[in-house]
Amino acid sequence: MEKIKRDIEYTYINGVYNKATADNEVNKTRGLIPAITSNAIDMSGEALGLWDIAEGVKSVDEGNAPIDGLVIWANATTLFQINADAVANGLTVVPASREINGIKLSSVITPLGEVFLMKGECLPAGTALLLNLSVIAPVLQPVPGKGNFFLEPLAKAGAGQKYQIFGQVGLDHGPEWYHAKFTNINTGFVRPKGRNVYVNGGTVGTVDVDAVLTSAKLNKNTVAADDTATVAVSKVNYNIVPGTDPSLTYLWQIRAKTGTTWTDLTASYTGYNTSELTVKAADAEKHYRCKVTASGSATGTVYSDECTVAAASEG
């Protein structure tokens, strides 16, 4: 029975219509993907995000179809992408916010209203559907006197007895322009870039925002008092993922063992304005840190944690 259920679900999504004209020919129902033609959006290899969903809702609305209760039917990667894109746009995917046809669904808000999210199966790679579930229903074709999905014996072959479960079921997908489909979606996960939603006088729009530096980490916190030893900036962090690699500038600073004032290093230090500084033995028991400034796709200035120069060795 589980296989029958899966076969029906696959057909409801992918089935190609065929009307039998002979007893040995099979009737086939039309699946949702072939059925939806008016609102077909080719993603051209891009990831499916919030504004693409909004475009799908808009296309349904422009066909004078209702847009209340629309559901995105997508695989796990696409749902992950939608969630990440919503967060990057300052929104939240609301878990189990409504029940449709007995199924509790999450939702996300678009400029044209709420859209529900459901992990769908049997979808071809790179395809997602925007469905109005209220107009979708199975169509049963019962056999007189037997009903639908009944067990019947097959012709005997020797002493064995075989049976089959017989039934005919199709799909009423309603007006096809009540739905939309997305094809050629990027099948991998694309990390979202810095992008926020703003609202101005009731109009929702987007604005690209730069990432902001939040911290810088050194690769070590103690270093030998040695003219060949080095300390480096090993990692910088941002509040959001930069859209492209930002430009970073570095300036190393020094303070005394017990002092609190930091002084910029100069060209007498190798690497004083790069990510890696060569230590001077003369700075034994002093402290280094690096000032990191971002420009381009990120902004801000941060100071790294400190690195202490070990005491000079005796002898």
Side-chain angles (χ1 to χ4, degrees):
M1 292 302 295
E2 183 65 25
K3 183 180 184 303
I4 292 174
K5 183 182 76 173
R6 298 288 292 177
D7 287 345
I8 292 173
E9 184 174 2
Y10 179 89
T11 303
Y12 280 178
I13 299 296
N14 302 281
V16 177
Y17 177 78
N18 182 68
K19 174 65 176 176
T21 57
D23 291 342
N24 61 351
E25 193 176 352
V26 178
N27 284 315
K28 296 181 180 181
T29 194
R30 181 180 288 106
L32 287 161
I33 292 176
I36 300 169
T37 57
S38 297
N39 306 315
I41 299 173
D42 189 331
M43 295 297 298
S44 301
E46 297 293 325
L48 183 66
L50 176 69
W51 295 101
D52 305 303
I53 295 173
E55 180 64 28
V57 176
K58 177 174 173 286
S59 66
V60 172
D61 182 66
E62 289 174 344
N64 295 316
I67 58 174
D68 180 55
L70 293 177
V71 177
I72 283 285
W73 180 284
N75 65 18
T77 300
T78 299
L79 291 180
F80 189 22
Q81 187 75 62
I82 293 169
N83 200 319
D85 191 58
V87 171
N89 279 279
L91 300 176
T92 301
V93 171
V94 182
S97 60
R98 180 170 169 179
E99 184 174 296
I100 298 178
N101 292 349
I103 303 170
K104 290 186 178 296
L105 300 175
S106 301
S107 67
V108 66
I109 302 299
T110 77
L112 292 177
E114 191 173 19
V115 173
F116 298 89
L117 309 174
M118 181 173 182
K119 181 180 176 297
E121 299 178 344
C122 304
L123 288 160
T127 301
L129 301 174
L130 180 64
L131 303 175
N132 186 329
L133 297 182
S134 67
V135 298
I136 297 175
V139 178
L140 302 179
Q141 296 176 290
V143 175
K146 294 184 177 181
N148 205 32
F149 288 103
F150 53 87
L151 187 69
E152 65 177 3
L154 295 173
K156 271 194 172 185
Q161 183 70 56
K162 294 184 178 181
Y163 295 85
Q164 71 173 3
I165 296 176
F166 181 84
Q168 297 182 93
V169 59
L171 177 70
D172 179 1
H173 50 67
E176 59 86 15
W177 62 91
Y178 274 44
H179 318 290
K181 67 180 176 184
F182 303 91
T183 58
N184 294 325
I185 301 169
N186 189 328
T187 56
F189 176 69
V190 180
R191 298 178 69 182
K193 301 177 182 179
R195 187 178 294 269
N196 283 336
V197 165
Y198 68 89
V199 179
N200 182 13
T203 300
V204 180
T206 59
V207 57
D208 287 332
V209 295
D210 292 330
V212 178
L213 276 175
T214 56
S215 64
K217 177 71 176 175
L218 299 182
N219 65 339
K220 59 186 76 171
N221 295 117
T222 58
V223 64
D226 184 341
D227 288 337
T228 63
T230 61
V231 60
V233 177
S234 61
K235 185 178 182 181
V236 292
N237 297 306
Y238 304 90
N239 63 331
I240 57 176
V241 179
T244 57
D245 290 336
S247 297
L248 299 176
T249 59
Y250 306 89
L251 180 61
W252 289 87
Q253 298 179 325
I254 192 170
R255 72 172 175 86
K257 176 181 178 180
T258 58
T260 58
T261 301
W262 290 92
T263 303
D264 294 344
L265 296 183
T266 64
S268 63
Y269 284 79
T270 301
Y272 79 101
N273 61 351
T274 70
S275 62
E276 182 175 275
L277 177 73
T278 300
V279 176
K280 282 191 175 183
D283 292 332
E285 298 187 76
K286 293 183 180 180
H287 304 266
Y288 295 131
R289 73 178 183 182
C290 189
K291 177 182 178 182
V292 184
T293 301
S295 60
S297 60
T299 60
T301 297
V302 295
Y303 295 90
S304 72
D305 50 342
E306 297 182 21
C307 178
T308 303
V309 183
S313 57
E314 296 183 0

